[in-house]
Amino acid sequence: MMLNMSLTMPAPFAVYVHWPFCLSKCPYCDFNSHVRHGGYDEARYVRAVEAELAANAVRVPGRTVSTVFFGGGTPSLMQPSSVAAILDAIARHWSVAPDVEVTLEANPTSVEATRFRGYRTAGVNRVSLGVQALDDAALKELGRLHTAQEALAAVAVARSIFTRYSFDLIYARPRQTLAAWEAELKRAIAEAAEHLSLYQLTIEPGTPFFGLHKAGKLVVPGEDLGRDLYDLTQSVCADAGLPAYEISNHARPGAECRHNLVYWRGHDYVGVGPGAHGRLTIDGCRHATETEKRPEAWLTRVEETGNGLIVDEKLTRGETADEYLLMGLRLAEGIEPARFQALAGRTLDPKRISILQGEGAVETTADGRLRVTQSGFPVLDAVVADLAA
Ligand SMILES: C[S@@+](CC[C@H](N)C(=O)[O-])C[C@H]1O[C@@H](n2cnc3c(N)ncnc32)[C@H](O)[C@@H]1O
Ligand code: SF4
């Protein structure tokens, strides 16, 4: 008898661990990342992460962990023994799937690459490298501490140790032309095995780039060139067998980052470490959690109370459904309208869908899914706002 796998397999369940420290702050970055020239007590932070894992396990016991992601900040500043201790703690609190995906975000400097083997021994089986550019002048402007050569050397070390690795590039950079980006992207694809994250440079409020941009000292491609760069990215990657499975993520079919799919498909995840977000279904109600962002304040809070939570909010059915829409429509596979209906207690408005279909922004697949089209992706925010309203 054929078994329905969806009935037999547990729902994906992820653990995100945030490591908030970096060697220097990149001028475009508004992630929760901090430089501590005076150092920090790594073992104490690891103990606090373990305490938060224990607190979460009490709230969502009995799950099977399908993915773990060490993000940052710069998790590749952690000692492999710290990564091993955290993975051991996860395995003490929950079952771990035999095919668990364990990703660690790494900066591609030579020092960090020396730790890759230790990470693999600790249980990491996938690395995501922040290459950002394959052009030394651009790397300098982005405030990076590595050259293109060093980044490629780190990619080579990753390739020799991990069967799964990915790297990030930022495009739509100052003065970047279509021809230059095409050449850089093709070079990157030649180095990429199965996965690439390609982000358009965003000028984030509060960053040094924001001030420079406002003062006219940093000029980035305008809307038209930005759109052309995006379209070029899609076609070059698709031709190379790395189609976009999410607005900024490309993979060979089957090599998608399963951890990020947990977010985009609306499954549960625990978030530990400073400023981490989580989504937990407890007694049928979805909770949005968030921890204290400032590393030292987070540490004190965890040591005093057992966890760093500053937000633990029950989401309404409508909020849960809108979040499913917002996250799911970023995926090329789109969403299941029936799941939206089950979550929201209402259907998506057929009139709005048909207007968006007429505009070529969304389409319905043969199996009934609703997805954003290639031409709808650049205006994704507007499409989501229209459907959620
Ligand atoms: C958490 S960050 C960085 C991981 C790692 N610390 C690094 O820098 O290599 C994840 C990715 O977000 C992207 N990113 C960060 N800020 C960005 C911005 N303002 N615009 C576009 N991409 C950005 C970068 O590609 C970066 O690798
Ligand atoms: S881009 Fe990465 S290395 Fe740079 S400040 Fe942000 S998290 Fe740190």
Side-chain angles (χ1 to χ4, degrees):
M1 192 178 75
M2 283 277 289
L3 284 177
N4 180 340
M5 291 307 280
S6 64
L7 293 179
T8 56
M9 277 166 38
F13 175 67
V15 178
Y16 175 77
V17 181
H18 191 79
W19 194 254
F21 302 111
C22 292
L23 288 181
S24 69
K25 183 84 188 177
C26 306
Y28 54 86
C29 176
D30 82 336
F31 280 86
N32 187 30
S33 55
H34 305 264
V35 179
R36 293 290 179 262
H37 293 297
Y40 50 85
D41 185 343
E42 178 167 333
R44 208 171 144 198
Y45 276 90
V46 170
R47 279 195 300 275
V49 166
E50 289 173 355
E52 279 200 314
L53 288 167
N56 275 280
V58 172
R59 304 188 76 200
V60 282
R63 306 280 183 99
T64 300
V65 176
S66 46
T67 65
V68 179
F69 195 102
F70 290 87
T74 306
S76 52
L77 295 177
M78 294 171 84
Q79 293 306 318
S81 56
S82 299
V83 172
I86 292 170
L87 290 173
D88 286 350
I90 291 171
R92 278 197 304 276
H93 295 302
W94 294 284
S95 308
V96 175
D99 64 345
V100 65
E101 173 191 275
V102 183
T103 305
L104 182 131
E105 241 173 25
N107 282 29
T109 69
S110 47
V111 179
E112 283 150 85
T114 59
R115 289 193 273 264
F116 286 1
R117 196 165 293 283
Y119 295 140
R120 196 186 68 174
T121 307
V124 172
N125 53 29
R126 182 176 181 275
V127 284
S128 172
L129 292 150
V131 170
Q132 318 308 1
L134 290 175
D135 173 297
D136 285 342
L139 286 169
K140 202 164 176 208
E141 190 169 19
L142 291 170
R144 302 294 292 180
L145 299 177
H146 53 87
T147 60
Q149 197 50 46
E150 272 181 296
L152 291 175
V155 169
V157 176
R159 183 186 299 126
S160 71
I161 295 175
F162 299 98
T163 47
R164 299 190 65 197
Y165 68 91
S166 172
F167 56 85
D168 299 354
L169 292 177
I170 296 180
Y171 69 100
R173 305 189 305 253
R175 300 174 303 285
Q176 196 171 34
T177 62
L178 284 164
W181 172 233
E182 182 169 1
E184 188 177 347
L185 182 55
K186 285 185 172 162
R187 205 169 148 220
I189 287 171
E191 298 284 340
E194 57 162 31
H195 193 286
L196 273 178
S197 300
L198 304 169
Y199 301 108
Q200 255 183 294
L201 177 64
T202 336
I203 304 297
E204 304 287 356
T207 60
F209 267 20
F210 189 80
L212 288 171
H213 183 250
K214 214 169 150 193
K217 293 182 183 156
L218 182 95
V219 181
V220 291
E223 208 174 300
D224 288 349
L225 179 54
R227 174 70 199 264
D228 290 346
L229 286 162
Y230 173 81
D231 289 344
L232 177 70
T233 306
Q234 305 312 304
S235 61
V236 169
C237 287
D239 290 350
L242 290 161
Y245 67 98
E246 190 264 351
I247 190 157
S248 306
N249 283 281
H250 299 255
R252 299 201 189 285
E256 298 84 3
C257 171
R258 283 167 42 214
H259 182 85
N260 286 340
L261 285 175
V262 167
Y263 304 152
W264 296 320
R265 287 179 174 162
H267 296 297
D268 278 10
Y269 54 97
V270 159
V272 293
H277 292 235
R279 289 290 181 276
L280 304 174
T281 305
I282 301 168
D283 297 331
C285 180
R286 195 151 158 93
H287 289 238
T289 67
E290 206 177 313
T291 57
E292 163 64 47
K293 273 181 94 167
R294 295 163 300 161
E296 292 75 13
W298 169 84
L299 191 59
T300 309
R301 191 179 269 266
V302 178
E303 288 179 346
E304 285 173 359
T305 71
N307 74 59
L309 280 187
I310 52 161
V311 174
D312 181 19
E313 189 189 321
K314 285 185 178 175
L315 298 179
T316 64
R317 287 183 72 175
E319 285 168 340
T320 305
D322 282 349
E323 209 168 72
Y324 173 58
L325 201 63
L326 181 79
M327 301 302 275
L329 286 179
R330 293 168 59 145
L331 289 170
E333 68 183 23
I335 60 145
E336 285 173 65
R339 184 160 163 214
F340 176 89
Q341 186 177 349
L343 291 169
R346 70 169 177 94
T347 55
L348 286 162
D349 184 348
K351 266 193 270 156
R352 285 175 200 249
I353 293 181
S354 91
I355 293 171
L356 288 167
Q357 268 170 340
E359 291 168 350
V362 301
E363 63 191 8
T364 304
T365 63
D367 57 356
R369 300 181 72 91
L370 180 73
R371 69 177 182 205
V372 174
T373 60
Q374 186 72 29
S375 58
F377 268 116
V379 290
L380 178 64
D381 291 349
V383 172
V384 171
D386 209 8
L387 287 170

